[in-house]
Amino acid sequence: MLPTAMQWAQNQRERRLTKNAVAIGRSRFVANTKSAEKMIRVAEKKRLRNRAVKSAVKTFIRKAERSIVATADEAQSLVVLAISRLDKAASKGVLHKRNAARRKSRLMKKLNVAAAAS
């Protein structure tokens, strides 16, 4: 009795999905209108762009922190590059401006501590 009830529920879900609605990409939402389909596509593009920008920012910060620890000569320039990437991400709305400011502050603090120690 139980497996047939589960099968019936699954069939009902499939019928609902295939009737008029369209699922787009990896979205778990089902669009019922053309504008909803477009918004799902737009959201997916933004998600991918945001993920790439965040990953790049983390990479630049990681490189800068490693150069600070290694007391490399180019540490200052790498920190400046990381800060510019943080500013750009904040201006594009990928990161919140206070989040970017906090990360920049922490990075500059590490650089200043390392400079004072040497």
Side-chain angles (χ1 to χ4, degrees):
M1 179 78 182
L2 189 60
T4 57
M6 288 173 51
Q7 288 173 351
W8 180 84
Q10 180 66 29
N11 289 341
Q12 289 297 103
R13 272 189 237 111
E14 288 174 6
R15 276 194 215 119
R16 252 185 279 133
L17 284 175
T18 57
K19 195 169 186 179
N20 289 328
V22 178
I24 300 172
R26 67 183 284 278
S27 175
R28 60 193 176 100
F29 300 109
V30 178
N32 290 317
T33 63
K34 294 283 186 185
S35 61
E37 289 175 18
K38 181 178 178 182
M39 290 313 299
I40 290 172
R41 287 194 306 270
V42 168
E44 181 67 11
K45 285 180 188 175
K46 286 182 179 180
R47 183 188 71 82
L48 293 174
R49 186 200 68 189
N50 290 349
R51 188 172 69 173
V53 171
K54 284 181 184 180
S55 177
V57 166
K58 288 178 193 174
T59 301
F60 279 103
I61 290 173
R62 201 176 306 117
K63 285 180 181 177
E65 287 175 344
R66 286 181 182 159
S67 68
I68 290 169
V69 171
T71 61
D73 296 331
E74 70 273 358
Q76 180 78 29
S77 62
L78 286 173
V79 167
V80 168
L81 190 60
I83 286 175
S84 73
R85 294 296 173 140
L86 280 164
D87 285 334
K88 194 166 191 174
S91 71
K92 298 289 184 185
V94 176
L95 292 176
H96 193 277
K97 64 180 183 176
R98 290 185 184 145
N99 185 308
R102 184 175 63 246
R103 291 185 190 196
K104 290 189 298 186
S105 175
R106 288 176 181 167
L107 198 56
M108 286 304 298
K109 190 174 183 181
K110 289 176 184 176
L111 181 67
N112 292 336
V113 166
S118 62

